[in-house]
Amino acid sequence: MITNLLTVECINLNLKGKNKEEIIDELIESLWSNGKLNNKEEYKKAILAREAQSSTGLEEGIAIPHAKTSAVKIPSIAFGLSKEGVDYESLDGEPSKLFFMIAAPANASDTHIEILSKLTTMLLDDEIRENLLKVTTPQEVIDILTSDIKEENNETSIDDSLPEVLAVTACPTGIAHTYMAADALIKKAREMGVNIKVETNGSTGVKNQLTSEEIKNAKGIIVAADKNVEMERFAGKNVEIVPVKEGIKNPEGLIKNALNQSAPIYQANTTGEKVSTKKEKTGFYKHLMSGVSNMLPFVVGGGILIAISFMFGIQSSNPSDPSFNPLAKLLNDIGGGNAFFLMIPVMAGFIGMSIADRPGFAPAMVGGLISLNNGGGFLGGLIGGFLGGYIVVFLKKLFAKLPESFEGLKPVLLYPLFGIFITGALMYGVIINPIAALNSGVTTFLQGLGTGNLVLLGALLGGMMAVDMGGPVNKSAFTFGIMMITAGNYYPHAAVMAGGMVPPLGIALATTFFKNKFSRDERDAGKVCYVMGLSFITEGAIPFAAADPIRVIPACVIGAAIAGGLSMLFGVQLPAPHGGLFVLPVVTNPVMYLISIVLGSVVTALIIGFIKKPVQE
């Protein structure tokens, strides 16, 4: 397994890079030239995104850049040695000389992740590092690593008694730092004669999960994490919260602090039941995206099933209609009666959960269900989600003054009882009637728009899809389209999907017909954009937009707006929320819909082709 991940072809013993980015480029090129990647640019983007979260430069001259992404074809490791060393923003400020670049596919197996993680923890061994600095052939690198792999010991505590110290380690990717920090803490604890248990929140899930009894009896707890971990369970305990690198760099100090109970007492009486040492997006957009992203599987799966049922006839699921078909009814019952039915409550529930963690889920979901059953629709579901979440935040502050004996009752009784009641009472008594009236008014207004205004609306929605290609503007247009589908108006979402398909398709055409304006790698990436565009994956255009935003983004917005406007002009209806051209059979007026998309894509391609400067390779 190890020799499959690290091959001699991906070992470079003479890195020439003088800085961090050059080293990354050399290692990526090693993986790319040996067929380990699907898309070099996307992989680099994932690597740099991980570096932006926190540098993967460690101590003792080691750096482990890594990413888990669909841009990886084969799980692999590239090894590089820099004789002089480069500044890689390491923990100790020293130049880095040993580089392990880990490439994990998005669907990497647990076995691959565990082997990759084991290799990184081996680098904590002084002898291994010293031997790697002396190698003269690539085979020596493999020999050193394979000869030092030992049977993994899953036991994380010194004896069978309850651990004195508990720890949780987690990093954003869950491949390298998570396990290196765990290994460093375990080794140091054994040297100190301290019984420790470490829970890892890695790419393969939570391992060695801490039990309530262990938490209750532990002297102190260490949370070394750069992403969210479950924290409510630690209420009332001394908890040291540090970045994951601190677990690698200073395990002895952290363990001593835990034993001495010098860390602050953790209070789980706010929204902070999950904690991260990294700054994350907060506020309205974060909570909204949490709801929308968790809702999408219901939207896509249910919506496409409904659309397929329409292929038998718009009324084919109605037993009293002459076009009735049992299969169409089955598809409609599954997609519309169940998956689509859950869409708004699920969205509301996850908004509430984003705001107030698990206690916010039930009240918010009930708020969304009340909206669904009483004409509040999508907008009412949004309000119900935020209302349920913030009511639980209020309850947490209110109940914080209760005696400690009530802690166990809060999540199972007090929060759901009062949260659901207050949310439901406010939804029924204050919110639902005005929102239902507004919802009905918006639908009536759109149905009454003249052709000219409909074209403007379609152009606006289409253009919004190309502004930030997956960001808040894009998601706002997409969400509006779904809201109109739930209201039975299928025109706006046709414009939305047309606008979302144009950026990658337009760029793909530009890379095909204006080859001198793009590098070889960009032309290769452009071929992938054909597939992404046809699949309604607007994000396929992001690498090109990021590389040349001043020219690419306006061209994409103009083409997308034209496609959206033409879709409305031709009266195209689309009952499926996703799928691109794969749902063309359920589109009304499909020929004109294709013409709208093609014209918008051609306009984008022509603008890019004329205003973009030639590339000198």
Side-chain angles (χ1 to χ4, degrees):
M1 176 65 75
I2 295 165
T3 53
N4 288 339
L5 295 172
L6 179 61
T7 60
V8 292
E9 294 80 12
C10 291
I11 295 176
N12 185 346
L13 301 182
N14 188 27
L15 292 175
K16 296 180 173 61
K18 302 298 182 184
N19 55 49
K20 182 174 182 176
E21 186 168 355
E22 290 177 359
I23 291 292
I24 289 175
D25 286 338
E26 283 188 79
L27 294 170
I28 291 176
E29 184 59 38
S30 179
L31 293 168
W32 171 253
S33 61
N34 287 288
K36 309 296 186 182
L37 306 177
N38 292 314
N39 187 313
K40 182 165 69 171
E41 295 303 320
E42 282 298 308
Y43 179 68
K44 181 178 179 180
K45 180 182 172 184
I47 286 286
L48 295 179
R50 173 62 186 89
E51 293 295 327
Q53 292 172 322
S54 64
S55 174
T56 56
L58 306 176
E59 293 180 300
E60 308 294 343
I62 303 169
I64 310 177
H66 56 277
K68 184 178 180 183
T69 167
S70 58
V72 176
K73 182 189 299 184
I74 302 170
S76 310
I77 297 175
F79 173 79
L81 174 62
S82 172
K83 301 292 177 58
E84 297 180 2
V86 300
D87 180 7
Y88 204 91
E89 303 172 32
S90 61
L91 285 173
D92 55 7
E94 295 297 318
S96 298
K97 297 182 178 181
L98 298 172
F99 300 90
F100 283 81
M101 177 170 279
I102 299 174
N107 60 347
S109 68
D110 289 1
T111 303
H112 282 131
I113 296 298
E114 288 169 4
I115 292 294
L116 291 169
S117 304
K118 183 62 180 175
L119 284 171
T120 59
T121 58
M122 289 171 56
L123 299 177
L124 296 172
D125 189 299
D126 294 339
E127 184 178 352
I128 292 176
R129 291 197 305 274
E130 291 171 6
N131 289 337
L132 288 173
L133 288 170
K134 299 174 184 175
V135 296
T136 57
T137 66
Q139 187 59 46
E140 287 181 64
V141 176
I142 296 176
D143 291 342
I144 290 169
L145 295 176
T146 53
S147 64
D148 281 278
I149 287 287
K150 300 178 178 64
E151 189 69 27
E152 185 173 357
N153 181 8
N154 290 322
E155 195 67 45
T156 59
S157 56
I158 290 182
D159 53 47
D160 294 332
S161 61
L162 289 171
E164 302 169 80
V165 175
L166 302 178
V168 179
T169 62
C171 71
T173 310
I175 297 175
H177 292 68
T178 299
Y179 301 99
M180 293 185 77
D183 205 48
L185 287 164
I186 292 167
K187 287 182 177 179
K188 183 55 66 176
R190 285 175 175 161
E191 290 176 13
M192 299 169 64
V194 176
N195 191 14
I196 191 172
K197 179 176 179 180
V198 181
E199 173 186 298
T200 55
N201 285 233
S203 181
T204 58
V206 175
K207 298 291 179 66
N208 300 315
Q209 190 164 20
L210 307 179
T211 68
S212 56
E213 185 181 10
E214 289 167 342
I215 294 169
K216 179 180 177 181
N217 290 279
K219 290 184 178 179
I221 297 167
I222 302 163
V223 176
D226 284 343
K227 72 171 187 177
N228 286 342
V229 298
E230 190 64 42
M231 291 294 292
E232 186 180 32
R233 52 188 168 159
F234 301 141
K237 303 295 293 187
N238 298 88
V239 182
E240 185 93 20
I241 303 173
V242 296
V244 69
K245 283 186 178 180
E246 193 70 12
I248 303 170
K249 179 181 179 181
N250 185 30
E252 184 174 0
L254 294 175
I255 293 169
K256 286 181 178 178
N257 287 346
L259 291 171
N260 296 331
Q261 298 183 320
S262 58
I265 299 292
Y266 183 76
Q267 301 290 340
N269 57 0
T270 67
T271 60
E273 288 148 348
K274 286 190 176 182
V275 71
S276 169
T277 56
K278 298 296 292 178
K279 291 183 179 179
E280 298 186 356
K281 289 182 179 179
T282 58
F284 177 84
Y285 177 67
K286 174 194 171 187
H287 306 317
L288 175 62
M289 287 303 101
S290 177
V292 170
S293 63
N294 283 286
M295 172 192 74
L296 279 180
F298 296 88
V299 174
V300 175
I304 292 178
L305 287 175
I306 295 171
I308 294 172
S309 77
F310 288 164
M311 293 173 66
F312 296 93
I314 296 297
Q315 298 296 325
S316 59
S317 62
N318 184 356
S320 61
D321 192 88
S323 65
F324 172 71
N325 183 292
L327 178 58
K329 184 178 188 306
L330 177 64
L331 291 168
N332 193 276
D333 287 347
I334 296 171
N338 293 278
F340 242 47
F341 179 82
L342 289 171
M343 178 181 72
I344 291 175
V346 166
M347 176 197 69
F350 278 97
I351 288 174
M353 189 171 179
S354 176
I355 294 169
D357 207 76
R358 284 185 298 179
F361 185 79
M365 191 168 187
V366 170
L369 186 60
I370 291 172
S371 173
L372 176 68
N373 288 331
N374 293 274
F378 199 89
L379 182 58
L382 287 177
I383 295 174
F386 281 96
L387 182 65
Y390 283 114
I391 282 173
V392 172
V393 171
F394 168 75
L395 291 174
K396 288 181 178 181
K397 293 179 179 179
L398 182 66
F399 295 149
K401 299 177 182 179
L402 292 176
E404 190 173 343
S405 57
F406 282 84
E407 285 298 320
L409 287 176
K410 289 179 183 178
V412 297
L413 176 62
L414 299 182
Y415 295 150
L417 173 62
F418 289 98
I420 290 174
F421 171 72
I422 296 172
T423 302
L426 288 175
M427 287 294 293
Y428 276 118
V430 180
I431 293 168
I432 196 63
N433 289 334
I435 293 301
L438 177 62
N439 226 17
S440 177
V442 169
T443 303
T444 303
F445 172 75
L446 289 175
Q447 291 172 345
L449 283 177
T451 301
N453 288 329
L454 284 173
V455 171
L456 288 175
L457 176 62
L460 175 64
L461 292 172
M464 288 173 68
M465 293 297 293
V467 170
D468 52 1
M469 304 175 190
V473 177
N474 171 285
K475 287 294 189 292
S476 297
F478 181 74
T479 302
F480 179 79
I482 293 173
M483 181 173 71
M484 290 296 98
I485 288 179
T486 62
N489 187 334
Y490 303 134
Y491 295 97
H493 200 70
V496 167
M497 192 176 292
M501 293 167 68
V502 163
L505 287 175
I507 287 170
L509 291 172
T511 60
T512 300
F513 295 102
F514 300 95
K515 294 183 178 181
N516 65 320
K517 302 296 180 74
F518 299 91
S519 67
R520 185 183 67 179
D521 290 340
E522 288 175 326
R523 293 196 297 272
D524 289 340
K527 297 173 185 176
V528 180
C529 281
Y530 279 112
V531 178
M532 290 191 169
L534 293 174
S535 305
F536 182 43
I537 302 175
T538 316
E539 288 84 350
I542 288 177
F544 295 88
D548 191 3
I550 295 177
R551 296 177 179 84
V552 172
I553 292 178
C556 290
V557 170
I558 292 170
I562 289 172
L566 289 175
S567 172
M568 282 287 201
L569 178 65
F570 297 138
V572 178
Q573 297 185 67
L574 177 61
H578 213 290
L581 290 192
F582 298 102
V583 294
L584 195 62
V586 302
V587 172
T588 60
N589 205 352
V591 174
M592 299 312 294
Y593 192 51
L594 284 175
I595 290 174
S596 303
I597 295 168
V598 169
L599 287 176
S601 301
V602 169
V603 169
T604 292
L606 290 173
I607 294 174
I608 292 174
F610 286 123
I611 68 176
K612 193 171 174 62
K613 295 180 180 180
V615 171
Q616 299 296 328
E617 295 200 61

